[in-house]
Amino acid sequence: MEKNDLFFIREAIGEAKKASALGEVPVGCVLAIDGKIISRGHNLKESKKNALLHAEMVAIDKAIKKMKTPILPEATIYVTLEPCLMCAGAIFQTRIKRVVFGAFEPKFGVLGSILSLQNEERFNHRIEVTAGICRKEIEKMMKDFFRELRNKD
Amino acid sequence: MEKNDLFFIREAIGEAKKASALGEVPVGCVLAIDGKIISRGHNLKESKKNALLHAEMVAIDKAIKKMKTPILPEATIYVTLEPCLMCAGAIFQTRIKRVVFGAFEPKFGVLGSILSLQNEERFNHRIEVTAGICRKEIEKMMKDFFRELRNKD
């Protein structure tokens, strides 16, 4: 864990809450360079009817456009939930140096759960991973969201 | 190999040629449902200065917007080159049923080269993969592109 990790994960939780306010699975993300947030994203799959729009993809795309640079080698991405294959792939493609996430995603997560791609030596880029910051709070937020969703049915 | 695979891979090669005309690594893609092309994409990483814009991501995003549906379970994606982690992840996320590609990508490909994610039983979606259609023609197109690029330097 590094200085400010807690601050940035809390910001990502704030983004996740924007998603749940829209009826989206609460996943949120911020991207930082040199200790400053350069973009934010939250899950927009349902609102935009597009399964590509995970929080990470939204934040990475915004950061690329803002920085006017195709890759983000100086960036750290803070996300409430362990990234899936697509988002981990986008992190590798954009050369993001570090990933900090809160809760593990046992069904889809590929940075510790079903796969641990950060240890895959055949990739040409290495990422540093820190997991578990605010894990309990994030797990509770997810559980509350799904419980409420079930109660609505 | 299924009926029309050769036709659609040839269309993907046409897309790849649009990329190389822009100075992009020639990768092209078409997405088909019920034997009809619903979207096309080619690599736009350099032109748009965005490492997310692989041919597959461009074509999948277009198809989702055109079909007004978050996932594409009836679709087959035809791409000249073996997908990377991000694009394979996007294919899983959008529930595309089948992937047909031409040449293997020994450094980044995850559907047969560095990984074979179609055999990963822990994913909740299965994809069918057909590889090698027009492989030699595509390999030659890639080699010619990189030779020309080197000669420019």
Side-chain angles (χ1 to χ4, degrees), chain A residues 29 31 52 54-61 63-64 70-73 75 77 83-99 110-111 117 123-125 127, chain B residues 45 50-54 57 84-90 93:
Chain A
C29 175
L31 228 137
L52 303 181
H54 286 195
E56 301 95 310
M57 299 301 283
V58 172
I60 293 170
D61 191 54
I64 284 173
I71 58 170
L72 302 160
I77 187 164
C84 76
L85 198 63
M86 171 177 70
C87 296
I91 290 166
F92 279 103
Q93 282 299 326
T94 53
R95 305 283 189 273
I96 287 172
K97 67 175 177 180
R98 185 164 175 255
V99 181
V110 297
L111 298 179
L117 293 177
F123 290 140
N124 70 333
H125 174 63
I127 52 173
Chain B
K45 278 175 66 175
N50 187 336
L52 303 181
L53 296 178
H54 286 195
M57 300 301 281
C84 77
L85 198 62
M86 171 178 70
C87 295
Q93 282 299 327

Side-chain angles (χ1 to χ4, degrees), chain B residues 46-64:
Chain B
E46 302 297 327
S47 330
K48 301 272 190 187
K49 297 199 187 315
N50 187 336
L52 303 181
L53 296 178
H54 286 195
E56 300 95 311
M57 300 301 281
V58 172
I60 293 171
D61 192 55
K62 273 190 201 167
I64 283 174

Side-chain angles (χ1 to χ4, degrees), chain B residues 32-93:
Chain B
I33 294 180
D34 290 336
K36 280 183 194 151
I37 292 176
I38 56 162
S39 69
R40 299 165 176 272
H42 54 272
N43 179 16
L44 288 169
K45 278 175 66 175
E46 302 297 327
S47 330
K48 301 272 190 187
K49 297 199 187 315
N50 187 336
L52 303 181
L53 296 178
H54 286 195
E56 300 95 311
M57 300 301 281
V58 172
I60 293 171
D61 192 55
K62 273 190 201 167
I64 283 174
K65 286 170 180 161
K66 185 171 175 182
M67 305 300 285
K68 296 185 172 58
T69 167
I71 57 169
L72 302 161
E74 306 301 319
T76 297
I77 188 163
Y78 297 85
V79 56
T80 54
L81 199 65
E82 183 183 0
C84 77
L85 198 62
M86 171 178 70
C87 295
I91 289 165
F92 279 103
Q93 282 299 327

